[in-house]
Amino acid sequence: MTRWFAVLFLLVAGIARADEGMWTFNNFPSDLVKARYGFAPSQEWLTKVRRSTARIAGGCSASFVSPNGLVMTNHHCVRECVQQLSTPQTDFIVKGFYAATAQQERQCPAFEVNKLVDITDVTAELTKATQGKEGAAFRDAQRAEIARLEKACATAADIRCDVVTLYRGGMYNLYKYQRFQDVRLVFAPEEAIAFFGGDPDNFEFPRYDYDVSFVRVYQDGKPAKVDDYLRWSARGAQDGELTFVAGNPGGTSRLLTVAQLTYQRDYALPERLFQLAQMRGMLDEFQQRGPEFTRISNNLKFGVENSYKALVGRREALVDRDFFAKKVAEEQKLREWVKADATRQQRFGQAWDNIAKATDTLREMRLRLRLLEQSAGAGSDLFGYARALVRASEELPKPNEQRLEEYAEARKPELEQQLFSPAPVYPKLEEALLTFYLTKLREQLGPDDPVVKKVLGKQSPRALASKAVSNSRLANPQVRRQLYTGGAAALGSSKDSMVELVRVLDEEARAIRKRYEEEVESVADKNGELIARARFEAYGTSTYPDATFTLRLSFGQVKGYQGGDGKPVPPFTQVAGLFERATGEDPFRLPPSWLQAKPRLELQTPFDFVSSNDIIGGNSGSPIFNKDAEVVGIVFDGNIQSLGGEYGFDESVNRTVSVHSQGILEGLRKVYNARRLLEELGQGGGG
């Protein structure tokens, strides 16, 4: 065996080990599954599963579970809708929601469900459009071709088309979706049971969460009819059983270069964690002002705490010397294989160094990029509306191919749904968020920075935030619609205080974004394509691409693991354990409905369970099902060891955490008496 064949063997041997992989549906390793579990998914099976699953725009997954447009997902995937439908008098986050009749189903203010209907390989088109181009020319050509392809595909308002970059630029696919924007809430349990254990139990196991909800998609004012949907398993998940997860993992970084991983470890992650910690502190103080302050900010705080714990896990993976050394070794092996051949070296050899230089540029500009563009406004809805309006007035008159990507013709339905949403805006929370943002802008760029001086003048961050919020009319969706349809003339003459604030910032924000796209993003994209081609030449498409918030399929089995203390962790929890863990105090306080139902519950019913499926954030709400495509549960989390899954997969300890299908039914029957829902699921209506 030659040295270089040995290197290639090591490369191939390290790919797609065991249950690892979030596979695309057009490159699923059925033979690998058969070799490991004795079952080979057919093309017919894959097509049915693909058509039965869904994506929730904004970051979650879901599945169709009846022919009448009923969609199952997590409570934490619909909690924003639940909060938006709530009032100070009726808080559905606390009380829960169940539509006992069709007339009681409530439309979510801004909610989109996507059903994947087709995948087309457009690698040749993108490669031809960008061939021989570098920097700004590469980025402009790529953006123009993507806009052209998406516009040609999106032939109606209910069709969504996205060009997806796979293998860090080695392949491009055009994903065509059926878009549903009339989405109505059917069932959501109380947050106290959906997120039982709160932040202390988050990303942990054993677990006792009833993190499931149901919505329905409508077409032309009626429940949508779907031909493909997942049926319910009679038994639910069994120990050792082969399981599949179909969902939309948001993003992984397993194919990043060492230079990019180093940047994540040393700069991006620590700074983001510091920002989240400060945001959490601000929200803690905000919630001390009273119950209504808590209600209107709970959804935001949930997201902040969830992100913080997830990012801590990611950074712990990167600071682990052995783990990082493996990533260095993997890259070095591929680079040695490239270097061994003069032709390969000429084609691919400089790609890693070019990305490293671009990463140095990113490190230098990162603060301004984050503060002026990526995190501007710190989550303020009014600031977000104002920026969208200002930029829409400038971008929409341009030819489609020259616009910022979020204003391309194919993206307009999503833009307009968000912009015209009737969701409530909370002035006190807006002031707090904007004060936080302006304070950090001054703190991190310095009081003498030209942008800071231009924005604040002689005002304090709090005074400017108060003025911007109180003098803005953008909380009214009709005002936003008038400004949007009025275009540049309406925005140019607008004296709205939030619009004026955005105008002051936007020139500098656009400039730093342009520099980032030309000097960092385009370089990473171009050279990422070269590295991807080197990988393809080394070992073909025998591996899976990084996650891209597009539909993927993973396989695994119901399986416990060894905990950090060396003790075995069984794969199941039971309903009985829920009551044993309850303390009566948050976050281990059970809602009255569950306490009252205890005498009726079968306490040995499986509640939550773990499996070895490979998932990441974005898979929340994914169905987990058996070889017969029957639902055995719903994914809602990963264990603490899985957080390093951003960068790699360890089958011995990485686990997916799901609500067991029998636990779901037990709650619907004996706690919520959800007869209509049970009948639609084909599970009878027993009370």
Side-chain angles (χ1 to χ4, degrees), residues 309-360:
K309 198 165 186 178
L311 295 185
V312 166
R314 291 183 189 179
R315 187 162 189 272
E316 286 178 352
L318 291 183
V319 298
D320 182 285
R321 292 182 179 180
D322 292 339
F323 181 83
F324 202 83
K326 290 178 183 178
K327 303 301 291 187
V328 173
E330 288 172 5
E331 179 175 300
Q332 190 58 37
K333 286 171 185 169
L334 181 57
R335 294 188 73 169
E336 287 178 3
W337 180 80
V338 168
K339 189 176 180 180
D341 180 88
T343 301
R344 291 198 296 259
Q345 178 65 17
Q346 184 178 9
R347 292 169 62 201
F348 309 130
Q350 293 302 309
W352 288 270
D353 292 338
N354 290 339
I355 289 177
K357 292 176 184 176
T359 305
D360 288 340

Side-chain angles (χ1 to χ4, degrees), residues 9-27:
F9 175 80
L10 288 171
L11 283 167
V12 175
I15 300 304
R17 297 179 299 273
D19 294 346
E20 178 178 352
M22 305 171 204
W23 298 88
T24 57
F25 273 72
N26 52 352
N27 187 35

Side-chain angles (χ1 to χ4, degrees), residues 182-398:
D182 183 353
V183 183
R184 306 186 191 183
L185 186 63
V186 177
F187 170 80
E190 308 92 331
E191 184 184 41
I193 187 63
F195 194 44
F196 180 81
D199 191 55
D201 271 4
N202 200 14
F203 299 112
E204 302 289 350
F205 196 81
R207 200 72 174 275
Y208 302 92
D209 283 16
Y210 195 76
D211 196 350
V212 61
S213 290
F214 294 88
V215 297
R216 192 183 308 280
V217 295
Y218 279 68
Q219 282 183 306
D220 302 322
K222 299 177 181 178
K225 299 297 181 182
V226 295
D227 295 326
D228 294 292
Y229 60 95
L230 299 178
R231 273 74 170 179
W232 218 262
S233 163
R235 301 188 308 161
Q238 301 293 304
D239 194 3
E241 183 177 17
L242 169 64
T243 53
F244 297 88
V245 171
N248 298 270
T252 52
S253 304
R254 299 178 186 180
L255 299 181
L256 288 185
T257 67
V258 169
Q260 291 169 314
L261 291 173
T262 301
Y263 173 79
Q264 291 291 318
R265 182 192 67 193
D266 296 346
Y267 296 95
L269 287 173
E271 290 172 2
R272 178 62 175 152
L273 284 167
F274 186 63
Q275 179 188 29
L276 287 169
Q278 291 183 314
M279 175 75 83
R280 181 172 60 184
M282 182 274 288
L283 290 171
D284 282 340
E285 185 280 328
F286 184 82
Q287 294 189 345
Q288 293 300 314
R289 302 181 197 178
E292 181 62 5
F293 289 84
T294 298
R295 184 187 75 82
I296 65 176
S297 61
N298 253 344
N299 191 55
L300 179 59
K301 187 179 179 184
F302 171 86
V304 168
E305 291 184 335
N306 190 64
S307 295
Y308 184 85
K309 198 165 186 178
L311 295 185
V312 166
R314 291 183 189 179
R315 187 162 189 272
E316 286 178 352
L318 291 183
V319 298
D320 182 285
R321 292 182 179 180
D322 292 339
F323 181 83
F324 202 83
K326 290 178 183 178
K327 303 301 291 187
V328 173
E330 288 172 5
E331 179 175 300
Q332 190 58 37
K333 286 171 185 169
L334 181 57
R335 294 188 73 169
E336 287 178 3
W337 180 80
V338 168
K339 189 176 180 180
D341 180 88
T343 301
R344 291 198 296 259
Q345 178 65 17
Q346 184 178 9
R347 292 169 62 201
F348 309 130
Q350 293 302 309
W352 288 270
D353 292 338
N354 290 339
I355 289 177
K357 292 176 184 176
T359 305
D360 288 340
T361 301
L362 175 58
R363 185 173 63 248
E364 176 267 320
M365 69 165 66
R366 71 187 190 283
L367 288 179
R368 301 188 79 80
L369 179 67
R370 184 176 71 242
L371 289 164
L372 300 177
E373 178 64 17
Q374 295 174 340
S375 300
S380 160
D381 287 335
L382 293 177
F383 186 95
Y385 289 143
R387 171 171 277 191
L389 288 167
V390 168
R391 291 191 174 179
S393 72
E394 298 171 358
E395 294 297 314
L396 294 182
K398 297 178 182 178

Side-chain angles (χ1 to χ4, degrees), residues 533-552:
R533 289 171 191 164
R535 284 197 184 97
F536 287 159
E537 289 191 18
Y539 41 80
T541 56
S542 60
T543 184
Y544 56 93
D546 264 330
T548 52
F549 194 48
T550 51
L551 190 59
R552 302 294 180 87

